[in-house]
């Protein structure tokens, strides 16, 4: 196996040589925080995104929408990003480099540095070296830096806009239309996969921290008092390693338990959060993440957003970067909808009918307009509206209109108790949000699938990518480019492509070199056409991981490979047939 000390270099060497990932705009020197996906990387990325869709769109039934990547300022004022979406930055007094203050502290063993105040970080950094020039940071100031990219919309710079820092806000602002689409019934969800942008201060972690990145987010709208997932039975007995707040405080390892037990014990706030923790675990292991290097860490009280009922991060261990957050799963309550309702003046509620109408007593204040109108003139309407929601005393009520306090005596209104039939209530839904970083998922899939072994005295490098996400699923080789073997191989390639199996024809070099080339890019199966094919119409299927081979009739090839790729049959089972 690969040495852990340099696995990052080995993975990235393969990624660059074989066309997975390249530095963006490399001919101009490139800029940190931006990458290009080459032919294999782009395909791997699409396969991961489509796997995500297979869970959230097909299994869960949440439709996908697509919103602009640029939004007007009002959206991000309401969401809190304009005011609060900032990281703490420090500028080295020696080399002038701008640096992420909490990252420097974390690299020197300061736990939860992201929760420290600017003053505390400044004191912490005083004796620490600059990562760029290695000089002490000294009395360098720590200050907030907003991470959004700002732009203008239209000529004349009249309208300010921002590149979105997350895909979620488009779903929130579309809530009224989504509500109608889902026929005014809870629960429902919408998903979005797309680009987001964050002007990171000093991205020094390759694909882990990018300035332009892809997110896959789901926003599930639920009744505030009904957080039992209707399909919880699917994952009730699913076990997941949980690093709870208590276990973090005690500095002990995660505890593995079922989602049913975690909810019943109060470790996870509700079934919805637990359901998506389990679903996320299934997705990550499906793309090739090592389960032994995967945990779910609960946000500490000081790091969790004040409005969130519960929040967990799916963290994957990287030999280079340590524990890396890949997915965040949060119960965001009604914070987002309530904020957009207040700023836009648009209703963000749903009418929930009662099983049977309820008769309730309701107090109504009836103003004497014959007196209030002439006496208060242009303020009369505002006074009547204020009276309707006031709490009168025995003598009257004091209300404030445009900053002026006005006393309305009891003889200017009547208080009546009435029986009113109520057929339902307006409810502002709560939001459960699983948010996935696609680029980070791709990197950890590459790192965890990278392996080395020795074959015939040579080192064989391979990516053990699962067939469902591998950029090329089948390689087709003619043993030689003569005797019609190449013609048969090309025909097989065309047939597999027609069956939606991503196959690649390869006749370049010795057959052993072709196997090694395909192993290194993660191709799980190789089909070889040889002289026996001319006699009995069979071909050899080779398994990447075990290097075992089995002969299969050509007419059975599409069905056999489809079953192998889908996981309906293992290669070991096939070889025993």
């Amino acid at each position: 196996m690969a040495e852990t000390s340099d696995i990052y270099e080995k993975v990235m060497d393969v990624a660059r040589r074989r066309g997975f990932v390249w530095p963006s705009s490399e001919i101009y020197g490139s800029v940190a925080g931006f990458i290009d996906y080459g032919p294999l990387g782009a395909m791997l990325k699409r396969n991961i995104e489509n796997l995500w869709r297979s869970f959230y769109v097909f299994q869960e039934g949440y439709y996908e929408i697509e919103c602009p990547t640029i939004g007007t300022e009002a959206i991000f004022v309401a969401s809190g990003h304009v005011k609060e979406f900032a990281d703490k930055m420090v500028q080295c007094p020696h080399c002038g480099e701008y640096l992420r203050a909490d990252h420097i502290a974390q690299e020197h063993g300061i736990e939860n540095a992201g929760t420290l105040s600017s003053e505390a970080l400044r004191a912490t950094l005083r004796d620490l070296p600059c990562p760029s020039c290695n000089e002490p940071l000294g009395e360098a100031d720590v200050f907030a830096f907003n991470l959004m990219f700002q732009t203008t919309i239209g000529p004349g710079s009249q309208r300010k806009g921002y590149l979105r820092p997350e895909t979620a806000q488009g779903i929130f602002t579309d809530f009224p239309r989504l509500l109608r689409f889902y026929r005014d019934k809870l629960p429902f969800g919408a998903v979005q996969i797309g680009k987001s942008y964050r002007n990171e201060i000093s991205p020094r972690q390759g694909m882990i921290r990018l300035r332009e990145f892809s997110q896959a987010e789901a926003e599930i709208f639920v009744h505030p008092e009904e957080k039992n997932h209707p399909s919880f039975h699917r994952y009730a007995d699913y076990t997941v390693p949980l690093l709870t707040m208590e276990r973090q405080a005690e500095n002990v390892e995660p505890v593995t338990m079922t989602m049913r037990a975690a909810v019943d014990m109060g470790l996870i706030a509700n079934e919805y959060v637990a359901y998506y923790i389990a679903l996320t675990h299934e997705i990550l292991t499906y793309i090739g993440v090592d389960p032994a290097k995967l945990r779910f860490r609960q946000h500490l009280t000081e790091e969790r957003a004040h409005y969130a009922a519960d929040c967990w991060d799916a963290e994957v261990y990287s030999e280079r970067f340590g524990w890396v957050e890949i997915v965040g799963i949060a119960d965001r309550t009604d914070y987002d909808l309530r904020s957009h309702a207040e700023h836009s003046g648009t209703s963000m509620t749903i009418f929930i009918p009662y099983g049977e109408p309820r008769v309730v007593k309701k107090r109504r204040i009836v103003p004497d307009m014959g007196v209030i109108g002439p006496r208060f003139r242009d303020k009369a309407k505002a006074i009547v509206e204020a009276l309707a929601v006031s709490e009168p005393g025995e003598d009257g009520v004091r209300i404030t209109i445009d900053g002026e306090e006005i006393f309305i005596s009891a003889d200017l209104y009547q208080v009546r108790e009435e029986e009113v039939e109520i057929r339902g209530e307006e409810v502002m839904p709560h939001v459960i949000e699983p948010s996935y970083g696609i680029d980070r998922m791709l990197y950890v899939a590459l790192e965890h699938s990278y392996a080395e072994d020795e074959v015939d005295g040579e080192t064989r490098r391979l990516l053990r990518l699962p067939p469902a996400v591998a950029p090329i699923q089948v390689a087709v080789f003619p043993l030689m480019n003569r005797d019609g073997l190449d013609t048969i191989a090309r025909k097989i390639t065309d047939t597999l492509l027609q069956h939606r199996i991503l196959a690649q024809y390869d006749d370049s070099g010795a057959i052993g070199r072709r196997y090694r080339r395909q192993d290194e890019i993660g191709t799980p199966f190789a089909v070889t056409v040889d002289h026996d094919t001319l006699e009995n119409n069979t071909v050899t299927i080779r398994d990447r991981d075990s290097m075992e081979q089995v002969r299969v009739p050509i007419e059975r090839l599409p069905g056999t490979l489809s079953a192998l790729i889908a996981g309906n049959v293992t290669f070991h089972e096939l070889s025993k047939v």
Side-chain angles (χ1 to χ4, degrees), residues 174-202:
D174 277 350
F175 173 78
R177 292 194 178 275
L178 287 167
L179 180 60
R180 288 193 288 275
F181 176 84
Y182 282 101
R183 301 183 181 90
D184 296 281
K185 292 182 180 179
L186 291 176
F188 70 84
V191 303
Q192 187 168 188
I193 299 181
K195 293 287 191 178
S196 295
Y197 306 85
R198 298 182 183 181
N199 196 9
E200 295 286 352
I201 295 168
S202 54

Side-chain angles (χ1 to χ4, degrees), residues 23-42:
S24 187
S25 305
E26 191 172 12
I27 63 172
Y28 291 104
S30 71
V31 177
F34 298 97
I35 60 172
D36 289 349
Y37 284 101
L40 296 184

Side-chain angles (χ1 to χ4, degrees), residues 99-118:
L99 305 159
R100 178 87 176 261
D102 57 327
H103 284 181
I104 299 173
Q106 286 174 349
E107 290 168 3
H108 287 81
I110 307 299
E111 295 185 2
N112 302 317
T115 65
L116 297 178
S117 66
S118 296

